[in-house]
Amino acid sequence: MQIKLLPETLINQIAAGEVIERPASAAKELIENAIDAGATRIEIATSGGGKSLLRVSDNGSGMSRDDLELAVRRHCTSKLANGLDDIRTLGFRGEALPSIGSVAKLSITSRARDAFDGAEITVVGGKVSELRPRAANTGTIVEVRDLFFATPARLKFLKTERAEAGAITEITRRMAIAFPHVRFTLSGTDRATLEFAATGDDRLARIAQVIGKDFEENAIELDAEREDIRLTGYAGLPVFNRGNAAHQFAFVNGRPVADKLIASALRGAYAETIPSGRYPVAVLDIRLDPALVDVNVHPAKSDVRFRDPGMVRGLIIGAIREALSRDGDRSSTTAARSMMSAFRPGFRPQPAQNWQPSASPFRPFSEVATVGLREAAAPMFADMLVPSARGEAVAAEMVSEAVPEQPESHPLGAARAQVHENYIIAQTEDGMVIVDQHAAHERLVFEDMRKALAAQSVPSQALLIPEIADLPEEDCDRLMEHAESLQALGLHYERFGPGAILIRETPSMLGKVDVQGLIRELADEIGEWDTSSTLHARLEHVAATMACHGSVRSGRRLRIEEMNALLRQMEATPGSGQCNHGRPTYIKLKLSDIERLFGRS
Ligand SMILES: Nc1ncnc2c1ncn2[C@@H]1O[C@H](COP(=O)(O)OP(=O)(O)OP(=O)(O)O)[C@@H](O)[C@H]1O
Ligand SMILES: [Mg+2]
């Protein structure tokens, strides 16, 4: 066997295998190049999901004729002036363009700022053409046609055109949030046009364009620093969670990254406030000395390695938790606001006679005009309060005698009634509060468990009759592997032959528990345990899961004193504004809002 140096095209195709995985990775490379060239306008056009055509045009610096010839050659870059320790550009490897050229039909037209004319170069399956003069504006147009035509094996692995087009949209959204001063447009035969106007330094305005206007109302600003590592950005409220991670954006020194450490820190920060399988929305911008982070980890440049990963993790978790506890009340006001707007759809005026209460019993409230709302709201509230009129009216009267100090002055006010066995209505000085008793209780139990966990004494209580849960064998194995740690949480179980677990004791704080449901959910949860999280973080998460299975007070009729006790306990508990699933535990309505609702102001 003889060792041979591979031909350049083959070398480039091998590199392309790592750098250009799909049309969206080519789009990412080309957008990065445009940004490195100082562009303020970037237009992206695609067809066939970027497989048949991907074109990125920019108004950046452009390239001279000489540079254009070098640009498509491997290991040629204008960016690595200060070595790998001081990378301040998105690109640095000098291989994106030759890689694309080796697997597609690439054409680049460019005109440098001070040049009289432009030029075009093409690379087809690795074959580089002569330069041709071209009339062009300052800037660069890169066109990629028939991606992977030269490597059919890769072509076979691509997803549908729609999925590939979607991935390009994702990349564009990420770049757009990272670079708000750049105007982006994305268009093509395979999509609806997307346009993000430049918002200058106003990152929040750009985020609103990309994620939606409601983000601002549902996010808390972050600004924290630890030993010269700075974190800014926004953390979404836990109630604003989503079904996937598409709304998590992270940047390291301006570079959009998809980094495992950051993703796991985000999970950690929201561990007890968002249920597993749901994802927080967040924009994290991390800035640090370029020497303290290695971006040369993977050819796609979206992974990074921090010199001090623990510090970065701590910074993210600390900043988000601090922000959430500082602004914890927001979940209740956000929910109240959306409730108010459901009642009052922007006050669209409509003649009163148009509204027929009997026309459709299912008419959504949002369609009801203000004028009619007065009539509509009155019977609705009357209906809501029926249980109080019947059952708790007497109790409500007791309040004034039983509680001598004025409980209205407490943040959550004085309990007046309970409706539908779960909602506590309380009066505050300037409005009213509606508490979801089940959710609130769940949160309080969780906080108790957390405290007990910290004190290393979670009391357990033996089940009268041990319960047997039938589970898949892997689940049993997994549960047994962690039996000891879960004992620390007051849950005692053992193996009961193949495919079964015998549960003997449960944490006493939970009261009566749905044991089967709990053990199944724990088995799922353990399966998803993130190996990088600490035992403590895992146990806290388990505590949250457990709290949700306890059911002491939910769905139970409470006496006024019990309700008031619950309200006072909530006030004394940090983070009680939302349950462990990130839903609000109470909603506050201002008297002025209620008055507006009834057209009184
Ligand atoms: N849109 C553009 N405007 C101006 N110059 C460009 C543009 N695209 C590429 N170039 C020039 O071509 C060179 C090669 O680009 P290429 O993307 O292959 O490598 P790179 O950006 O230096 O590094 P990487 O491989 O990490 O992307 C760049 O260094 C830059 O000088
Ligand atoms: Mg590049």
Side-chain angles (χ1 to χ4, degrees):
M1 211 173 20
Q2 200 189 357
I3 297 178
K4 278 191 263 171
L5 179 64
L6 296 174
E8 173 133 346
T9 300
L10 205 49
I11 294 177
N12 284 333
Q13 285 181 346
I14 291 170
E18 290 179 309
V19 187
I20 310 298
E21 207 188 334
R22 57 194 296 193
S25 18
K28 170 181 163 290
E29 293 298 334
L30 299 181
I31 297 171
E32 285 184 355
N33 280 349
I35 286 175
D36 283 343
T40 54
R41 283 210 317 266
I42 301 179
E43 285 164 23
I44 305 134
T46 64
S47 90
K51 291 186 238 179
S52 27
L53 171 71
L54 170 66
R55 183 172 48 228
V56 177
S57 322
D58 69 61
N59 65 345
S61 64
M63 281 173 272
S64 68
R65 295 171 62 91
D66 290 348
D67 278 354
L68 194 52
E69 283 195 297
L70 286 175
V72 296
R73 293 194 37 203
R74 196 170 158 77
H75 301 317
C76 291
T77 177
S78 56
K79 303 178 189 175
L80 210 47
N82 302 320
L84 281 172
D85 277 348
D86 192 21
I87 293 174
R88 291 170 192 270
T89 45
L90 297 170
F92 57 87
R93 303 169 60 97
E95 60 180 10
L97 293 179
S99 297
I100 296 173
S102 71
V103 295
K105 298 170 185 161
L106 169 72
S107 113
I108 309 175
T109 305
S110 192
R111 178 176 157 194
R113 210 157 268 153
D114 47 5
F116 184 66
D117 214 348
E120 181 190 10
I121 197 165
T122 58
V123 188
V124 177
K127 227 172 143 285
V128 183
S129 75
E130 296 280 304
L131 277 189
R132 278 183 297 264
R134 278 278 178 272
N137 292 326
T138 305
T140 305
I141 302 170
V142 183
E143 228 175 65
V144 181
R145 287 185 186 274
D146 301 329
L147 186 65
F148 301 130
F149 89 96
T151 48
R154 181 52 65 93
L155 197 55
K156 276 196 217 130
F157 283 99
L158 294 186
K159 303 218 171 87
T160 60
E161 287 184 5
R162 228 178 109 198
E164 296 300 342
I168 295 175
T169 308
E170 269 316 297
I171 288 291
T172 310
R173 294 171 75 236
R174 262 164 216 282
M175 288 294 186
I177 292 195
F179 302 99
H181 56 279
V182 178
R183 170 180 183 269
F184 288 86
T185 48
L186 175 59
S187 61
T189 50
D190 51 355
R191 62 175 71 249
T193 300
L194 203 64
E195 187 178 327
F196 302 129
T199 63
D201 290 333
D202 191 349
R203 170 163 281 171
L204 195 55
R206 176 50 69 79
I207 297 173
Q209 291 173 341
V210 177
I211 301 186
K213 287 210 171 49
D214 49 352
F215 180 73
E216 187 172 355
E217 282 193 352
N218 289 288
I220 307 172
E221 195 166 357
L222 302 173
D223 191 348
E225 197 164 338
R226 257 192 217 184
E227 309 207 1
D228 288 341
I229 306 181
R230 174 127 189 252
L231 169 69
T232 57
Y234 298 88
L237 292 174
V239 277
F240 196 60
N241 62 59
R242 299 291 175 95
N244 60 40
H247 295 276
Q248 297 180 350
F249 300 87
F251 311 104
V252 175
N253 288 342
R255 173 191 306 280
V257 294
D259 191 71
K260 285 207 188 70
L261 172 102
I262 298 176
S264 127
L266 258 177
R267 262 201 308 281
Y270 287 88
E272 309 83 33
T273 49
I274 290 188
S276 57
R278 301 291 299 175
Y279 298 82
V281 177
V283 177
L284 305 179
D285 188 346
I286 300 167
R287 305 263 164 187
L288 72 175
D289 180 345
L292 298 180
V293 57
D294 188 0
V295 289
N296 187 25
V297 178
H298 186 272
K301 296 169 289 191
S302 49
D303 290 305
V304 289
R305 201 171 288 144
F306 293 103
R307 172 98 41 101
D308 189 346
M311 169 101 73
V312 175
R313 191 183 157 85
L315 175 66
I316 296 174
I317 296 185
I320 294 180
R321 292 205 166 174
E322 194 270 322
L324 291 179
S325 67
R326 169 166 36 95
D327 239 357
D329 196 37
R330 280 272 292 286
S331 37
S332 63
T333 52
T334 311
R337 212 174 304 136
S338 58
M339 175 173 158
M340 291 303 289
S341 58
F343 281 144
R344 296 176 295 111
F347 280 102
R348 257 183 294 134
Q350 226 176 350
Q353 62 267 31
N354 278 3
W355 186 70
Q356 301 273 322
S358 55
S360 160
F362 300 112
R363 191 182 178 125
F365 250 94
S366 54
E367 274 180 23
V368 177
T370 339
V371 199
L373 193 58
R374 233 190 259 192
E375 293 117 84
M380 186 196 67
F381 276 112
D383 192 37
M384 252 171 87
L385 292 173
V386 165
S388 126
R390 256 195 275 116
E392 280 87 356
V394 191
E397 269 163 28
M398 274 166 45
V399 172
S400 48
E401 299 154 36
V403 192
E405 23 103 49
Q406 285 167 328
E408 283 92 346
S409 60
H410 290 294
L412 294 181
R416 292 288 186 220
Q418 181 199 32
V419 296
H420 291 291
E421 248 103 76
N422 188 51
Y423 298 98
I424 298 170
I425 313 284
Q427 180 175 331
T428 59
E429 270 171 350
D430 64 344
M432 67 186 270
V433 168
I434 307 172
V435 176
D436 178 339
Q437 175 188 320
H438 176 88
H441 179 247
E442 196 178 305
R443 182 73 201 184
L444 296 177
V445 168
F446 169 60
E447 287 299 335
D448 280 349
M449 297 253 322
R450 213 178 181 184
K451 262 188 237 139
L453 187 61
Q456 296 186 326
S457 68
V458 184
S460 64
Q461 104 196 346
L463 293 169
L464 223 49
I465 307 161
E467 283 207 35
I468 297 165
D470 295 315
L471 296 166
E473 196 52 25
E474 319 87 80
D475 283 357
C476 294
D477 284 347
R478 245 188 255 134
L479 281 165
M480 287 321 296
E481 205 181 307
H482 297 283
E484 211 170 301
S485 350
L486 292 182
Q487 244 180 49
L489 278 166
L491 188 66
H492 299 240
Y493 54 79
E494 60 206 52
R495 212 176 225 296
F496 196 67
I501 293 278
L502 179 83
I503 303 106
R504 291 193 180 279
E505 291 176 39
T506 57
S508 27
M509 277 163 219
L510 299 185
K512 210 168 144 319
V513 203
D514 162 18
V515 179
Q516 302 267 346
L518 174 63
I519 204 86
R520 263 171 239 287
E521 203 167 320
L522 286 179
D524 287 350
E525 194 173 313
I526 294 173
E528 279 169 19
W529 268 357
D530 171 7
T531 44
S532 68
S533 63
T534 60
L535 179 66
H536 183 75
R538 290 174 184 179
L539 292 184
E540 286 219 331
H541 208 227
V542 171
T545 308
M546 288 196 188
C548 142
H549 284 263
S551 56
V552 197
R553 268 185 251 169
S554 73
R556 190 160 80 67
R557 213 165 252 223
L558 298 182
R559 281 174 295 123
I560 288 288
E561 304 88 271
E562 289 179 298
M563 293 184 220
N564 274 320
L566 182 70
L567 297 181
R568 301 295 83 82
Q569 215 182 330
M570 286 173 69
E571 286 157 359
T573 307
S576 66
Q578 50 169 57
C579 74
N580 311 329
H581 301 297
R583 292 189 298 266
T585 52
Y586 63 90
I587 288 173
K588 258 186 182 169
L589 287 175
K590 284 213 157 57
L591 194 56
S592 54
D593 283 337
I594 301 172
E595 282 169 350
R596 265 197 298 152
L597 190 60
F598 286 96
R600 279 176 179 271
S601 60

